[in-house]
Amino acid sequence: MYAEERQRAIADLITEHGRAAVNELAERFAVTGETVRRDLDVLERSGHLRRVHGGAVPMRAIRIAESGVDVRAETNPADKRAIGAAAARFAPHDGGTLLIDAGTTTIEAARSLPRDRTLSVFTNSVAVAGVLAMTMTAGRGGHTLDLHILGGRVRGLTQAAVGVSAVSALARLRVDVAFVGTNALSVGQGLATPDPDEAAVKAAMIAAANRVVVLCDSSKLERDDVVSFGSLDDIDVLVTDDGITTEFSHELTDKGVEVVIA
C-alpha cells in the first residue's frame, strides 16, 4: 500500500470511529509506530484530523456548539443507562452525602441510586432533582433521601444551575462522593466542556468532593473541548463503556484513575 492510500484509509477510519491510537493503526496497517506518526502529521497539516496524545481524533472533536438534553438523551442511550447503573454502586454508605452533576448519564445514575440507605443528595440539575423527587420515599424501606437543589441561573440547554450562586454554594460544601459528567476527557487536557459557566460549577464540584466519580461514555474519550475544569489527578474513578481503547485505559490507570467498564 502506498503512503497516500494508507493515509486516506487512516483518515476514513478515524472519521468513522471518532479516534484511533498509534499502536492500533501500526498493527492494522503493518507499519511501524513512527510511520503512523508521520502519516498523522501529514493528515493534520492537511486538515483531516487533529493529533492528540497517543493517536488522533477528527477535526470536529473540538466544537463550540452544544447539544441540548433532549438530543443527548438519544445518543448512546443503552451505554448511558449501563454507566449510570455502574456508577450508582459508588454511592456513599448509609448516612453519606452525594453530589450529582447535570447531564444525561448522571440522570441515569440518579435513577439507579440504591434505596437501602439514607442519603443526602445535592444537585445543580433540574432533571436530576425531578427524578430524585419522585423516589424520595417510594420503596425506600424506611430509609430517606434528603434532596438539596443548588441555586443559580438555569441553562435551558443543559437544565443545569450555573453562575456565582451555584459556585458559592459548592464552595461551602464538603461531600463524600461527586458524580461528575464531562463533554471530553483526554490525557493532555483532562476534563473539559464547551461552556465556561458549566466548567466553573464542575470545578467547584470536584473541589467539594472527597471522591470524584466521572461518568463518560467512550464517544467523549481522547477528545478535547473548549474549557478545562479538571485534570486526571482530580479523578478517582472513571465509569465508561467498552468502547474505551486499551491504550487509553492503561494510560488512565497509570495516572491513578480506576477505570470501570459498565
Side-chain angles (χ1 to χ4, degrees):
M1 180 182 287
Y2 292 109
E4 291 80 3
E5 294 175 311
R6 186 178 59 251
Q7 289 161 10
R8 282 197 298 271
I10 289 173
D12 290 342
L13 189 69
I14 291 173
T15 298
E16 180 182 355
H17 294 283
R19 62 188 178 278
V22 169
N23 63 339
E24 293 173 340
L25 293 171
E27 181 177 352
R28 184 184 185 96
F29 294 101
V31 295
T32 66
E34 186 58 36
T35 297
V36 170
R37 291 184 186 91
R38 286 198 296 268
D39 288 339
L40 296 180
D41 287 338
V42 170
L43 290 167
E44 184 174 47
R45 287 196 297 271
S46 61
H48 287 89
L49 52 78
R50 183 175 184 273
R51 293 291 306 276
V52 296
H53 183 79
V57 297
M59 288 300 292
R60 68 173 185 272
I62 298 179
R63 60 196 186 280
I64 297 295
E66 276 186 277
S67 299
V69 171
D70 53 344
V71 175
R72 294 183 191 182
E74 297 175 357
T75 305
N76 304 324
D79 287 338
K80 290 178 178 180
R81 284 193 294 271
I83 292 168
R89 296 198 293 268
F90 290 92
H93 297 296
D94 194 44
T97 50
L98 174 64
L99 181 58
I100 304 181
D101 189 11
T104 51
T105 310
T106 52
I107 291 172
E108 297 300 333
R111 289 194 175 106
S112 300
L113 284 182
R115 301 189 180 190
D116 62 349
R117 65 200 69 176
T118 293
L119 294 174
S120 292
V121 181
F122 300 81
T123 185
N124 71 322
S125 168
V126 174
V128 167
V131 167
L132 294 178
M134 298 294 291
T135 63
M136 287 178 68
T137 56
R140 296 194 65 86
H143 297 280
T144 60
L145 192 153
D146 189 20
L147 177 61
H148 304 262
I149 304 177
L150 302 177
R153 175 180 64 87
V154 176
R155 292 188 73 217
L157 198 63
T158 59
Q159 298 179 19
V162 298
V164 174
S165 296
V167 173
S168 296
L170 286 164
R172 296 190 295 271
L173 284 181
R174 172 57 60 180
V175 298
D176 295 308
V177 180
F179 290 167
V180 179
T182 186
N183 295 77
L185 172 58
S186 68
V187 171
Q189 192 188 27
L191 299 158
T193 193
D195 184 76
D197 288 339
E198 295 251 14
V201 171
K202 290 174 183 289
M205 287 184 170
I206 289 172
N210 291 332
R211 194 178 196 198
V212 174
V213 179
V214 173
L215 288 66
C216 178
D217 69 78
S218 61
S219 69
K220 301 171 183 175
L221 301 178
E222 298 184 80
R223 294 183 178 228
D224 294 340
D225 217 312
V226 181
V227 187
S228 174
F229 63 86
S231 70
L232 296 187
D233 291 338
D234 294 317
I235 306 171
D236 295 294
V237 181
L238 168 68
V239 185
T240 188
D241 56 75
D242 60 7
I244 186 173
T245 63
T246 300
E247 182 179 67
F248 190 55
S249 180
H250 287 165
E251 286 183 301
L252 294 177
T253 301
D254 289 342
K255 296 286 187 180
V257 178
E258 179 183 353
V259 178
V260 175
I261 308 298

